[in-house]
Amino acid sequence: RTISAMVGQGSVNHNSRAFNAKNTDPERSHLNITYCHENIKTVFHELFDEALKRYNDKQTRADRKIEDYYEKIRSSKQEKPFHEIILQVGNKDDMSAEGEDGPVITTRLKDYRGYGYIALSAAKVNVGGDPASEASKDLRKAIMTVVSAYRDEGINSYYGDTATIINYPMSNTSWAAPSVTDDGYKIAYSTDVDGNEIYTSDMSGDTKYAAALQAALGYFEAAGYTVENGQVTAAPAGAKMEYTVNIGASGNGDHPSFQVLTNAAAALKTIGFTLTVNDLANASDLYSSYQSGVAEGWVAAWQSTNDPDMYQLYDSNGSTNYYKINDSDLDELIEAARQTTDQDARKAMYKEAMEIILDWGVELPVYQRSEATIFSSERVDTTTIPNDMTPYWTYQSEINKIALK
């Protein structure tokens, strides 16, 4: 197989399949993955406006100043706003992929034994220094309600079909995880301060985001914030108008929850509240920020154990209770669940415990990603690969049945 590269003038409409040229197959366009598709003029302003101002400030002659850098480049006979780089690996005969199974490799996906989440520290994000007060919970739920609304868009953009949104603080791979078909199952942070559903079945896009902001205003007001004409204008004693969430996105936004947070931060800004997204290049800085109790908010992931014991993470005496939850009812449920072997009873206790955690507004479950096992189609009889693998039942569990060609 070969790798080839070329630089061309490029056509955004061609790349996005706004039209189909003769060298494209419209029936396979749905398989294309778009990692970034932004308005070029907008990107020019984001990248160059500050530099353009510094340049213009130095000019003593008006005719040397540049009013719009994008228009200058666009109208130039020698320059172009963007160029296209095309990399091709192999060709349609030796690298054609029509699904997870091909002549060279066969892929099997299974849910990862863990999940990604966004957290707020009860000790840092509260009203009047009381992390357990209803006002403090309402403050945290105001923030989480807006962030939650942007999960679908952000995770789908990053993972596509290889991750799903989760709504309870437990990996979907666990036997104790609530199912969509269970009585009382709810989308995380989908009710307003009065307990009413925020969303209707026909809501999507801007309508959904507007409903989330409206619900957030209700939570802010209940937390003691001053809300006037759709704007949060003042914080109560012991609370702030700005909080920061740390995320380890390599300093360049490379994290599945980064878009979720930045979109939510932009939405909260429109009602006068600031959520700062702090992208840390060094992962150790992220870990130390919440493990030391300094962070107001953070983004991380848990890897679940075979048994979904919640004591370590959420009990007031848990060694990694970085959320700083201290709730006697929660402690009682967690500790009672450790004392029984009745799986149905434990599952019910854990469901109630998770509802308390969400009511505290300290954790937003975000995504459950998949992990891939890749087999050589040329060497393995793929019909002997186990079906429906899980983190607890992998191909190794049936290695004796897998045949080679």
Side-chain angles (χ1 to χ4, degrees):
R1 296 177 182 85
T2 60
I3 298 177
S4 59
M6 67 169 289
V7 177
Q9 292 186 349
S11 168
V12 173
N13 287 334
H14 175 263
N15 292 343
S16 63
R17 296 299 184 264
F19 71 90
N20 288 285
K22 292 182 179 180
N23 65 339
T24 65
D25 181 356
E27 293 184 359
R28 300 178 67 185
S29 293
H30 70 281
L31 299 172
N32 294 345
I33 299 174
T34 301
Y35 292 101
C36 181
H37 184 190
E38 298 185 43
N39 182 281
I40 294 173
K41 186 173 182 179
T42 300
V43 173
F44 257 73
H45 285 299
E46 291 175 355
L47 293 176
F48 301 118
D49 275 2
E50 289 186 13
L52 180 62
K53 183 179 185 305
R54 291 195 299 270
Y55 170 82
N56 285 337
D57 287 345
K58 294 178 182 178
Q59 305 308 312
T60 57
R61 289 170 46 187
D63 62 333
R64 296 184 65 90
K65 292 186 178 182
I66 301 171
E67 183 175 342
D68 188 319
Y69 186 62
Y70 170 80
E71 290 299 331
K72 180 182 186 319
I73 298 299
R74 188 187 66 81
S75 59
S76 171
K77 295 181 179 180
Q78 297 179 318
E79 297 171 301
K80 193 175 184 296
F82 78 100
H83 289 273
E84 179 177 83
I85 300 176
I86 301 173
L87 297 175
Q88 178 175 312
V89 180
N91 56 50
K92 67 180 180 64
D93 297 319
D94 58 25
M95 289 297 291
S96 179
E98 298 183 357
E100 294 179 353
D101 299 348
V104 178
I105 63 171
T106 292
T107 305
R108 291 290 180 268
L109 296 176
K110 63 179 183 293
D111 282 339
Y112 178 69
R113 195 178 70 185
Y115 68 94
Y117 68 92
I118 296 170
L120 294 174
S121 168
K124 293 290 184 179
V125 185
N126 62 62
V127 178
D130 183 0
S133 71
E134 289 303 312
S136 294
K137 293 176 183 178
D138 286 336
L139 164 57
R140 294 188 292 267
K141 284 189 281 189
I143 299 169
M144 290 301 203
T145 295
V146 177
V147 179
S148 176
Y150 286 91
R151 292 179 301 166
D152 292 282
E153 180 183 5
I155 299 307
N156 184 62
S157 174
Y158 192 92
Y159 277 123
D161 294 334
T162 62
T164 54
I165 300 300
I166 64 171
N167 291 300
Y168 289 86
M170 182 176 288
S171 170
N172 278 348
T173 63
S174 173
W175 57 264
S179 170
V180 177
T181 57
D182 290 348
D183 288 339
Y185 183 94
K186 285 185 175 293
I187 295 172
Y189 302 102
S190 62
T191 55
D192 64 19
V193 71
D194 296 318
N196 302 312
E197 294 292 333
I198 298 172
Y199 311 111
T200 59
S201 59
D202 60 342
M203 277 188 184
S204 62
D206 292 341
T207 307
K208 174 183 173 183
Y209 303 141
L213 282 177
Q214 191 62 41
L217 287 170
Y219 277 117
F220 277 123
E221 191 165 24
Y225 282 73
T226 302
V227 176
E228 298 173 334
N229 300 318
Q231 294 287 303
V232 181
T233 59
K240 302 192 301 181
M241 293 289 289
E242 177 179 359
Y243 290 96
T244 298
V245 176
N246 293 336
I247 182 171
S250 304
N252 59 14
D254 186 13
H255 191 286
S257 291
F258 184 78
Q259 183 179 337
V260 178
L261 280 171
T262 52
N263 286 348
L268 285 165
K269 195 73 173 178
T270 66
I271 60 170
F273 186 85
T274 301
L275 184 68
T276 299
V277 183
N278 183 25
D279 185 355
L280 299 171
N282 191 336
S284 63
D285 292 337
L286 171 68
Y287 304 145
S288 63
S289 74
Y290 65 79
Q291 291 172 359
S292 65
V294 171
E296 295 174 335
W298 66 91
V299 178
W302 294 123
Q303 180 169 343
S304 307
T305 58
N306 290 347
D307 186 270
D309 184 11
M310 304 176 75
Y311 183 89
Q312 181 179 346
L313 300 177
Y314 304 108
D315 192 276
S316 59
N317 294 311
S319 60
T320 54
N321 178 3
Y322 302 126
Y323 311 96
K324 304 303 180 185
I325 298 179
N326 192 335
D327 189 297
S328 58
D329 292 337
L330 178 60
D331 291 350
E332 183 178 339
L333 283 166
I334 291 173
E335 290 160 24
R338 303 183 101 194
Q339 305 302 316
T340 180
T341 57
D342 184 330
Q343 196 170 91
D344 289 337
R346 291 186 74 197
K347 182 172 181 177
M349 291 178 192
Y350 285 140
K351 171 77 176 333
E352 190 175 348
M354 287 186 281
E355 289 171 349
I356 293 174
I357 293 164
L358 293 171
D359 184 59
W360 270 67
V362 292
E363 181 178 326
L364 170 64
V366 180
Y367 63 91
Q368 172 97 46
R369 68 173 175 83
S370 300
E371 58 181 353
T373 303
I374 298 174
F375 302 88
S376 169
S377 306
E378 299 170 327
R379 296 174 176 82
V380 176
D381 179 353
T382 57
T383 63
T384 64
I385 298 172
N387 294 318
D388 301 322
M389 289 190 288
T390 74
Y392 312 104
W393 189 265
T394 70
Y395 74 93
Q396 294 168 312
S397 303
E398 297 185 29
I399 193 70
N400 59 306
K401 297 180 181 180
I402 297 179
L404 300 179
K405 290 182 177 178

